[in-house]
Amino acid sequence: AMDEENKRLLYPLGIPDAADPENQIIGKIKQQRNPRVFCKRCYNLMHKNRLPSPNWQDALVGSDTSFLKFLAKKPNSIVLTVVDIFDFPGSLLAHLEQLIGTRTRNIIVANKVDILPKDIHYDRIKNWLAFELNGLGFTNVMDIHLTSAVKNIGVRELVNAIADMRSASDDVYLVGCTNVGKSELMNSFLRTSAVGGWQHKVTASLVPGTTMGMLGLPLSIFNGAFGKTLGVKNYFQVSKHIYDTPGIVNESQLLHLLTHEELKLVIPRTKIKPLSYRIEPGKSIFFGGLGRIDYVYGNVPILFTIFSKIPVHITNIARANEFCDNIANGIQQSVIVPPVGPPERILSFPPMKTVRKRILVDGRHGGISVKDIVFSGVGWASISGTFENAELSVHSAGGKGVFLRHHPL
Ligand code: GDP
């Protein structure tokens, strides 16, 4: 039996209605020795990778982060703040420290490192993240870990670090936006700890916003198992929990504009291969229909290295303007995807809005990258070359999800 406190923690958004057919257990599937039990929602996610509702955006939890305030009252907790390294800082909860206070220990877990190009060194990424987090006002980060939940990279190191700082009475919370990989990380913890193969699995999916309540797993699952696999002591005590909190919908993320089919075109599944383009002044680069960078003014070509899975399209600024005007005027055109689908889809897609009219970049020191322009969740352009005082402008679908990084990845 769950006491009231536990119930409140497990379901900060309210206890699921058992009468709701979506929440009813629909079956047990025998897997190895352990039967698996699913509710309809999880079953649909696993087998169809989508929610039963055709319009999954209706099912999103909402962007209210206030429920995380309860963490401020639990200063013994360890918070694992999960971010998607491919969507940084877009996937970072900007005001997290205000919510959880500075007495709570916060570890940043930068997940999905498996998709970064292979020549980016982890130490460099960590230093870069520390620098960026500082610049974003995070003053209370205890540690930064790079992980890949799907490839089990860095997970043991993370678990050991938690074990080192954790005393027997401390809970651990996974916190982050939707789609950063919290559920997958939970699975990775379970995988690392399960003796004799998989014993539990948390539903992870491509669809943002699908961890509906807070999921608690006893930390005792780590007992002994980690001791065996890692050769470390039994750090985790019975009855304390590791919680996967509901993902927070970050309205600024561009991925929320996309359908399931379109997400497949955008979310990288394997290492991204950076592609460099020498761009002349007067040219425009489209990141599908989601983002656009114009090289408005300058004397020499600039090198744009694109880190994205999305098809880029390079054209003259005049043509780019014409294209965007046509869309805004309801004239349907093809080529630039996503959006993909019937004319209704293309025409109802949020048109490009100017986000930064004038960005000055200066590459007079040559060679090294001077700036990254990031389209949240879609990728980024790293700008380099030898040039002085060039001027760029940036547009994005609905004017969302654009970030500038001064010290590029
Ligand atoms: P959550 O909403 O934070 O719980 O995110 P999920 O665990 O459901 O993961 C969201 C999506 O990201 C799923 O498609 C996962 O397979 C994918 N994902 C999670 N972790 C990783 C990772 O380490 N690498 C890659 N490439 N994809 C990941």
Side-chain angles (χ1 to χ4, degrees):
M2 222 190 313
D3 59 32
E4 279 309 305
E5 166 76 353
N6 269 349
K7 247 187 205 168
R8 207 170 50 74
L9 284 176
L10 277 168
Y11 304 109
L13 302 173
I15 295 163
D17 177 8
D20 180 348
E22 293 300 340
N23 293 328
Q24 278 167 22
I25 288 169
I26 58 162
K28 283 186 181 179
I29 295 178
K30 265 222 175 306
Q31 201 209 25
Q32 296 164 4
R33 279 160 300 155
N34 299 67
R36 298 178 63 188
V37 180
F38 304 105
C39 70
K40 192 171 169 197
R41 197 186 311 274
C42 289
Y43 184 86
N44 273 313
L45 278 169
M46 279 193 311
H47 294 282
K48 308 198 182 102
N49 218 347
R50 64 182 156 99
L51 285 172
S53 152
N55 186 1
W56 55 263
Q57 302 195 36
D58 292 344
L60 295 179
V61 178
S63 51
D64 183 10
T65 52
S66 60
F67 79 89
L68 288 173
K69 278 188 192 154
F70 77 90
L71 288 169
K73 297 196 202 95
K74 302 185 138 274
N76 289 334
S77 313
I78 296 173
V79 172
L80 305 182
T81 302
V82 188
V83 296
D84 176 349
I85 190 70
F86 186 66
D87 184 7
F88 187 88
S91 61
L92 181 73
L93 298 172
H95 304 294
L96 187 72
E97 271 191 9
Q98 276 109 293
L99 293 168
I100 67 173
T102 48
R103 289 189 303 154
T104 312
R105 288 162 293 173
N106 186 11
I107 299 179
I108 302 285
V109 179
N111 189 40
K112 310 198 187 180
V113 287
D114 55 297
I115 56 174
L116 291 180
K118 57 178 182 301
D119 54 348
I120 299 188
H121 294 290
Y122 287 6
D123 282 344
R124 227 185 92 203
I125 303 175
K126 266 194 191 181
N127 288 338
W128 169 79
L129 277 172
F131 184 91
E132 292 286 315
L133 284 163
N134 197 283
L136 292 163
F138 279 69
T139 57
N140 194 41
V141 173
M142 287 202 72
D143 207 353
I144 297 175
H145 281 261
L146 305 182
T147 60
S148 164
V150 293
K151 295 267 156 70
N152 282 339
I153 299 168
V155 177
R156 287 180 177 193
E157 290 82 349
L158 172 60
V159 168
N160 279 342
I162 299 166
D164 277 345
M165 69 170 69
R166 182 175 173 272
S167 61
S169 58
D170 304 343
D171 285 318
V172 179
Y173 291 87
L174 282 161
V175 167
C177 294
T178 54
N179 239 31
V180 291
K182 295 182 299 301
S183 308
E184 208 74 77
L185 266 171
M186 200 78 138
N187 281 330
S188 189
F189 292 153
L190 291 167
R191 209 151 50 220
T192 319
S193 69
V195 186
W198 288 63
Q199 297 197 341
H200 312 265
K201 196 168 185 287
V202 179
T203 316
S205 81
L206 257 181
V207 185
T210 43
T211 302
M212 306 303 280
M214 192 151 69
L215 181 72
L217 294 168
L219 279 170
S220 58
I221 56 165
F222 295 123
N223 269 349
F226 273 125
K228 258 188 203 144
T229 46
L230 304 175
V232 293
K233 285 186 299 194
N234 290 351
Y235 292 103
F236 296 103
Q237 299 288 314
V238 186
S239 92
K240 298 314 287 184
H241 289 73
I242 178 160
Y243 292 104
D244 187 5
T245 59
I248 288 156
V249 177
N250 190 336
E251 299 289 351
S252 75
Q253 291 178 300
L254 286 161
L255 298 188
H256 296 307
L257 301 176
L258 302 181
T259 63
H260 182 64
E261 292 311 307
E262 292 163 349
L263 287 172
K264 283 194 204 158
L265 293 174
V266 177
I267 298 178
R269 289 267 150 195
T270 52
K271 285 192 181 305
I272 30 172
K273 296 191 184 75
L275 287 175
S276 290
Y277 299 89
R278 214 169 143 268
I279 301 294
E280 303 277 349
K283 293 278 181 184
S284 185
I285 308 170
F286 280 94
F287 283 65
L290 290 167
R292 168 182 161 195
I293 305 173
D294 297 348
Y295 181 5
V296 180
Y297 176 80
N299 301 318
V300 290
I302 299 181
L303 205 62
F304 284 77
T305 306
I306 311 290
F307 296 75
S308 183
K309 188 185 170 187
I310 209 166
V312 299
H313 188 86
I314 298 165
T315 184
N316 295 322
I317 291 177
R319 294 237 23 208
N321 285 337
E322 194 188 327
F323 180 87
C324 291
D325 288 348
N326 282 347
I327 294 260
N329 294 327
I331 298 170
Q332 201 224 332
Q333 321 162 79
S334 54
V335 274
I336 292 182
V337 290
V340 282
E344 307 87 81
R345 171 68 186 155
I346 316 279
L347 292 173
S348 68
F349 197 73
M352 293 266 183
K353 273 194 193 156
T354 307
V355 181
R356 296 287 295 260
K357 212 168 171 178
R358 211 159 160 253
I359 299 170
L360 292 175
V361 283
D362 185 348
R364 78 182 71 192
H365 302 297
I368 50 165
S369 295
V370 291
K371 202 166 272 200
D372 281 352
I373 297 173
V374 189
F375 295 106
S376 175
V378 177
W380 64 91
S382 220
I383 295 155
S384 61
T386 306
F387 57 91
E388 280 180 39
N389 298 328
E391 195 182 310
L392 312 175
S393 71
V394 182
H395 321 260
S396 72
K400 285 168 173 256
V402 173
F403 297 92
L404 296 189
R405 300 192 298 220
H406 296 273
H407 293 258
L409 181 61

